[in-house]
Amino acid sequence: MKPKPMLFHDRRDAGIHLAKTLAHHVSSRPLILALPRGGVPVAFEVARALQADLDLLFVRKLGAPGYEELGIGAVVDGADPQLVLNEDVVRQLGPTPEYIRAEMRRQLAEIDRRRKAYLGDRDPLPVAGRTVIVVDDGIATGGTIKAALKGIGKAHPARLILAVPVAPAEALASLRDECDEVICLYEPYPFYAVGAHYVVFDQTSDAEVVRLLDAARQERSSQSA
C-alpha cells in the first residue's frame, strides 16, 4: 500500500511544520535566509518560531557571451557577494575575466534593484560566524539552491543548513556536500512538482514579500526591546 502523499495547506503551513524540526537550533540564534519569492512565507514562520533574523537570499545566473540562457556561473547576494563559476562551461567557452567581471556587476545591479524593492535601503545581514538556515518552498532540480549554498559557504558561516518542505531524494543527495545539514520533511517518489504537495500554491506576490519582511523585522525589534 502506497504511503499517503504529504500535503501542506500553503507555504506558511509548511513553514510551521518545518520550524518544528528546526527547534533545536533556537539557542544558536540563527539567521534565516529565504529565496524569494516563494521561500519567504515558509521562512517567515521558521524565523518567527526560532525568534531569528530573516533576510533574503538572491541568486542570479551569469549568462554566457552571446548565449544568456546558458549559465557560466552565478552570483550570490550578501554582505560579501560571492561568485560561483561552472568550471566545465567556463573551460569550454573561455569567457574573458573582463566579461565575467562585467556580467557579475550587471547581475549584482539587478540583485540590488530587487533588494531595494523588497527591503529599501537595508543592507544584507552578515553571514560570517553565524548559523545560517537557507529556506525555500521546495526543490525540483536543485541547481539554484546549489549555487546559493556554494556562495553562502564562501562567506564563512559557522554552520550552514538547508531546510525545505519537499524535494526529490536525488536532488537532496547532490546538495549534501554543500552544507552541514539538510532537513526535508517529505521526499516523494516519483517526484512530479513542488506544487503538487500544497493545497494552495499560488504565486507569492511582491506585496506579500514586503509585508512579511516588515512583520518579521517588527517582531525581532519587539523581542529585543
Side-chain angles (χ1 to χ4, degrees):
M1 190 174 174
K2 281 187 177 179
K4 186 179 179 182
M6 187 169 186
L7 279 178
F8 306 103
H9 177 71
D10 57 14
R11 291 179 177 89
R12 291 185 68 170
D13 177 53
I16 291 168
H17 283 85
L18 198 56
K20 292 174 184 174
T21 69
L22 292 162
H24 60 289
H25 289 293
V26 67
S27 61
S28 65
R29 301 176 64 84
L31 168 62
I32 313 301
L33 293 181
L35 272 75
R37 294 178 288 194
V40 175
V42 184
F44 173 81
E45 295 297 342
V46 173
R48 168 182 270 176
L50 273 58
Q51 298 185 13
D53 294 323
L54 175 63
D55 202 357
L56 298 180
L57 177 57
F58 293 93
V59 185
R60 293 286 297 176
K61 179 175 66 178
L62 272 62
Y67 302 93
E68 287 196 4
E69 291 306 308
L70 177 60
I72 60 172
V75 62
V76 181
D77 180 37
D80 182 18
Q82 299 295 327
L83 174 66
V84 178
L85 290 176
N86 185 329
E87 300 294 351
D88 291 339
V89 176
V90 169
R91 273 194 297 271
Q92 283 181 332
L93 299 181
T96 65
E98 292 76 17
Y99 175 85
I100 293 173
R101 283 194 293 269
E103 179 67 357
M104 183 176 175
R105 284 194 298 270
R106 189 170 77 88
Q107 297 304 337
L108 282 172
E110 176 60 17
I111 285 174
D112 187 57
R113 185 190 71 78
R114 294 186 180 201
R115 175 170 278 280
K116 280 186 166 60
Y118 290 138
L119 287 162
D121 292 326
R122 280 172 269 166
D123 292 326
L125 295 175
V127 165
R130 298 195 68 173
T131 293
V132 175
I133 304 176
V134 175
V135 176
D136 204 355
D137 55 9
I139 296 171
T141 63
T144 300
I145 281 279
K146 180 174 257 189
L149 293 173
K150 280 181 179 290
I152 291 298
K154 288 183 176 184
H156 309 296
R159 188 168 176 79
L160 181 57
I161 300 159
L162 171 64
V164 292
V166 59
E170 58 269 26
L172 294 174
S174 72
L175 298 169
R176 294 189 190 279
D177 289 343
E178 307 299 339
C179 53
D180 298 296
E181 185 179 357
V182 174
I183 291 176
C184 181
L185 301 182
Y186 186 48
E187 300 174 32
Y189 182 84
F191 180 87
Y192 297 111
V194 170
H197 303 283
Y198 288 82
V199 176
V200 178
F201 197 68
D202 50 358
Q203 189 175 74
T204 303
S205 68
D206 288 345
E208 184 179 6
V209 170
V210 171
R211 181 176 62 79
L212 290 175
L213 291 170
D214 285 345
R217 188 165 56 94
Q218 288 169 12
E219 286 192 16
R220 289 294 290 138
S221 295
S222 64
Q223 289 162 2
S224 303

